[in-house]
Amino acid sequence: MMTETSVPVRRPARQLLAASVGNAVEWYDWYAYTFLATYIAGQVFPESSGNSLVPLLSTFAVFAVGFFMRPVGGLLMGAVADRHGRRAALTVTILLMGGSSLLVGLTPTYAAAGVLAPVVLVAARLLQGLSVGGEFAASTTFLVESAGPGRRGLFSSFQYVSTTIGQLTASGVAAALVSNLGEGQMESWGWRVPFLAGAALSLVGFWIRRGAQETLEPTGEHAGRPRPRLLDALRHHPRESLLICGITAGGTIAYYTWTSYLPTYAELNAGIDKADALLAGTLSLGFFALLQPLGGLLSDRFGRKPPLLFFGAGFALLAVPLLHTIGDSFASLLLVQCAGMVLLTGFTSISAAVNAEIFPARVRAAGIGFPYSLTVALFGGTAPYVGTLFTDLDHPGLFPWYVSAVCLVSALVYLRLPETAHQELER
């Protein structure tokens, strides 16, 4: 019987750098679009265009394309990682992100190119969504397979460390540009700078990843076994695929609520000043990044289930009181955000390890990538819109209960999970 085994990693620090730097660049590019969307819309989707296709393409580009393509990217790039190696997939995803970032930076204005402008932007967002979806699938397997004995949780934690660094960098670059350039400069060319810089950073990430060591090679007498097909993970491991969905649902809705939507929630429902809300969000993200390695180390020592249950039960019980505690002061919002980040770390710091420990190596990347990204699109990506919808319907108090209910479902899934922290990674 064929075995598939990880090659002993000679330089784990280099492996960690390759995954983390590339992931940070990926998320920098993704979040740069979010922070600068209003400037892009003014140039590419002008209200005065008089063309009915423009608002349609605007809606499609901003709300649908990115999250729709993430499950597709998870499946396709996961299959690349399983068929051709983790390093190959990681180099493809960062090149896709660099190319799409360059495309955004060079997108013509509507005044110069007409309807072609939003079409180019939609194409760029398609590529970005594909890249981000594939990045998680490939980097998750790469990180966990690169870890030494008893260090899978620690290595796993750097998935969200690097994601948060990318988000904070994009926010800082956008804020610096807005502060130092006039409104006219930002609208004419300033909004392009972060994307052009992101394309250049992608080349740096590509160079680092090219020097990384492949973590998976088939060995044994049946090394010529056919490579896995695109849907093999779903076909042969349906239970594990559903398990990934159950594990992820609560984590992703809590993550997007606390890291992306909470400042808006505080503005809409507690009347907090926008500048204070953004500052609290930034400080809590920095705190969140520092917590991740600690969460990973604790899971390597005490197992995966305790932190997962700490997160799931914590949010199921405390999401409602925490969100209702937010007042109109900066201190109250910062306290609620940091408290949520502590709970959230129980999931984020080890989600990569937990997911990787569910699937055998042969279909690990695709097995994780598709159900994970699909669940993120269904629950995480929609969290801000569900919260806003409840507010528009004059029932803002229902949103905390929605978050609590989804986290409770995941907590029940965690209860049934086998403990995998101290087992050999399945090959």
Side-chain angles (χ1 to χ4, degrees):
M1 180 178 178
M2 174 188 174
T3 61
E4 297 191 5
T5 182
S6 293
V7 178
V9 174
R10 293 184 298 272
R11 293 185 294 172
R14 176 64 183 264
Q15 301 289 94
L16 199 59
L17 181 66
S20 299
V21 170
N23 195 51
V25 171
E26 288 263 356
W27 285 100
Y28 163 84
D29 288 337
W30 177 263
Y31 279 112
Y33 183 93
T34 303
F35 294 130
L36 296 166
T38 55
Y39 295 101
I40 298 170
Q43 296 300 306
V44 181
F45 306 115
E47 295 179 3
S48 61
S49 65
N51 190 315
S52 61
L53 281 177
V54 174
L56 176 64
L57 285 169
S58 173
T59 302
F60 184 51
V62 176
F63 297 113
V65 171
F67 279 102
F68 170 76
M69 288 303 294
R70 285 177 67 170
V72 178
L75 182 62
L76 294 179
M77 291 297 103
V80 170
D82 289 332
R83 289 174 62 85
H84 303 287
R86 316 316 190 200
R87 185 176 61 181
L90 288 171
T91 54
V92 171
T93 57
I94 201 163
L95 286 178
L96 279 174
M97 183 57 82
S100 60
S101 186
L102 181 63
L103 196 57
V104 173
L106 298 179
T107 297
T109 63
Y110 186 86
V115 176
L116 179 63
V119 169
V120 170
L121 189 62
V122 167
R125 288 296 281 175
L126 281 166
L127 290 175
Q128 281 192 328
L130 189 73
S131 175
V132 166
E135 173 68 18
F136 185 87
S139 63
T140 291
T141 53
F142 181 82
L143 272 172
V144 176
E145 290 171 355
S146 294
R151 286 291 180 264
R152 293 200 299 264
L154 175 62
F155 272 53
S156 167
S157 70
F158 280 86
Q159 184 79 32
Y160 277 91
V161 171
S162 54
T163 296
T164 304
I165 289 173
Q167 183 176 358
L168 288 172
T169 303
S171 174
V173 170
L177 286 170
V178 171
S179 298
N180 291 285
L181 296 179
E183 190 71 13
Q185 291 174 308
M186 278 299 301
E187 290 179 353
S188 63
W189 58 269
W191 64 269
R192 300 180 185 274
V193 172
F195 300 103
L196 299 177
L201 288 173
S202 295
L203 293 177
V204 176
F206 171 76
W207 176 75
I208 292 173
R209 286 183 166 181
R210 285 282 294 173
Q213 181 184 344
E214 178 55 59
T215 60
L216 186 71
E217 288 182 4
T219 61
E221 57 180 317
H222 300 295
R225 180 182 178 184
R227 291 169 176 169
R229 290 172 293 182
L230 185 64
L231 299 177
D232 272 4
L234 291 172
R235 184 181 297 112
H236 300 302
H237 301 276
R239 179 184 176 277
E240 288 83 354
S241 298
L242 288 174
L243 201 55
I244 294 290
C245 295
I247 290 168
T248 305
T252 190
I253 194 171
Y255 176 78
Y256 277 91
T257 298
W258 248 256
T259 65
S260 299
Y261 180 58
L262 205 56
T264 302
Y265 179 88
E267 290 174 49
L268 292 175
N269 298 290
I272 195 166
D273 180 73
K274 184 175 183 178
D276 284 345
L278 291 174
L279 178 59
T282 301
L283 292 175
S284 65
L285 278 173
F287 175 64
F288 176 68
L290 294 175
L291 288 176
Q292 299 312 295
L294 177 61
L297 284 170
L298 288 174
S299 81
D300 285 330
R301 176 71 181 273
F302 300 107
R304 312 291 187 230
K305 290 185 69 171
L308 286 175
L309 289 170
F310 171 73
F311 155 73
F315 261 98
L317 293 172
L318 298 176
V320 175
L322 280 174
L323 290 174
H324 285 165
T325 299
I326 297 175
D328 59 358
S329 70
F330 169 80
S332 71
L333 176 58
L334 182 62
L335 181 63
V336 168
Q337 285 204 279
C338 288
M341 295 304 190
V342 172
L343 293 173
L344 187 57
T345 296
F347 169 79
T348 53
S349 63
I350 59 171
S351 64
V354 171
N355 291 340
E357 289 163 356
I358 288 175
F359 281 94
R362 185 171 183 269
V363 293
R364 181 170 290 139
I368 295 170
F370 180 71
Y372 174 86
S373 296
L374 180 63
T375 307
V376 169
L378 292 175
F379 291 96
T382 59
Y385 310 115
V386 172
T388 303
L389 176 63
F390 281 137
T391 299
D392 289 342
L393 295 174
D394 292 325
H395 294 292
L398 290 179
F399 180 69
W401 287 102
Y402 170 64
V403 174
S404 176
V406 177
C407 290
L408 176 61
V409 171
S410 285
L412 296 176
V413 173
Y414 304 150
L415 274 173
R416 301 295 301 275
L417 281 178
E419 182 56 71
T420 56
H422 306 301
Q423 298 176 6
E424 288 288 331
L425 193 63
E426 189 174 354
R427 304 304 179 190

